[in-house]
Amino acid sequence: MDVGARARLGQWALGAEGFAMGVFGGASLAWSMANPHFGAAGAPIMWLRVTPLHCSLLLAVGVLTVFAAFTRSAATFSRIAAIGWLIATAVCVAATSNDSPGPLGFDVRDTVLYAVLTVYNVALAAWFAFPIRPTPRGHAPRRFHRRQSDAVGSR
């Protein structure tokens, strides 16, 4: 696989992540806004309990990820996203351990989500950082035009 194809595959993987986050964030935002009776704990969707602010965060980051995925800055964005999701994971762990969910409604399931996003973006950053360079196979070693003799006095 050449370096260009590898970079395009990484861009598509980053775009797929952004698309999934955007769709999940948008659907969750619509669900949480349509069901305000769940209160500060958040509305249940799939395996998460989401608040409108949490959904807005996922939607905004998803859209930003889609836009950044197909530019030259995809590798840089994946590094920044990995650091951002790592910070979100740490904040979520701290909020969960203190039993103070805050406006984003942090709980253990959010910690798992952020940890998975961190690992995914670290893997993408490594994918972009360490491209596989093709090794020349089957090429004859390079020869000089004029052969040198080992005999003393020869030219």
Side-chain angles (χ1 to χ4, degrees):
M1 178 182 298
D2 67 339
V3 177
R6 189 173 169 91
R8 282 188 298 278
L9 188 61
Q11 288 176 327
W12 279 101
L14 190 62
E17 175 198 4
F19 182 75
M21 274 196 312
V23 167
F24 181 75
S28 300
L29 182 61
W31 177 256
S32 65
M33 296 298 281
N35 297 299
H37 61 275
F38 287 112
I45 185 166
M46 292 178 39
W47 50 278
L48 289 175
R49 294 191 66 82
V50 293
T51 62
L53 187 60
H54 185 210
C55 300
S56 301
L57 172 76
L58 289 175
L59 179 63
V61 172
V63 169
L64 185 64
T65 303
V66 168
F67 284 134
F70 300 106
T71 63
R72 290 180 181 223
S73 62
T76 304
F77 183 82
S78 68
R79 292 180 194 123
I80 292 169
I83 294 168
W85 290 122
L86 180 66
I87 291 170
T89 303
V91 168
C92 191
V93 165
T96 303
S97 66
N98 293 333
D99 292 326
S100 60
L104 290 175
F106 290 132
D107 65 350
V108 177
R109 295 169 288 211
D110 293 329
T111 306
V112 173
L113 173 69
Y114 297 145
V116 167
L117 288 171
T118 301
V119 169
Y120 187 80
N121 281 292
V122 166
L124 273 178
W127 180 267
F128 284 121
F130 304 116
I132 297 174
R133 306 253 184 234
T135 57
R137 294 183 195 154
H139 293 289
R142 190 170 175 190
R143 306 262 176 174
F144 294 105
H145 295 289
R146 193 172 111 196
R147 298 209 182 232
Q148 299 283 331
S149 172
D150 290 340
V152 177
S154 64
R155 294 178 125 186

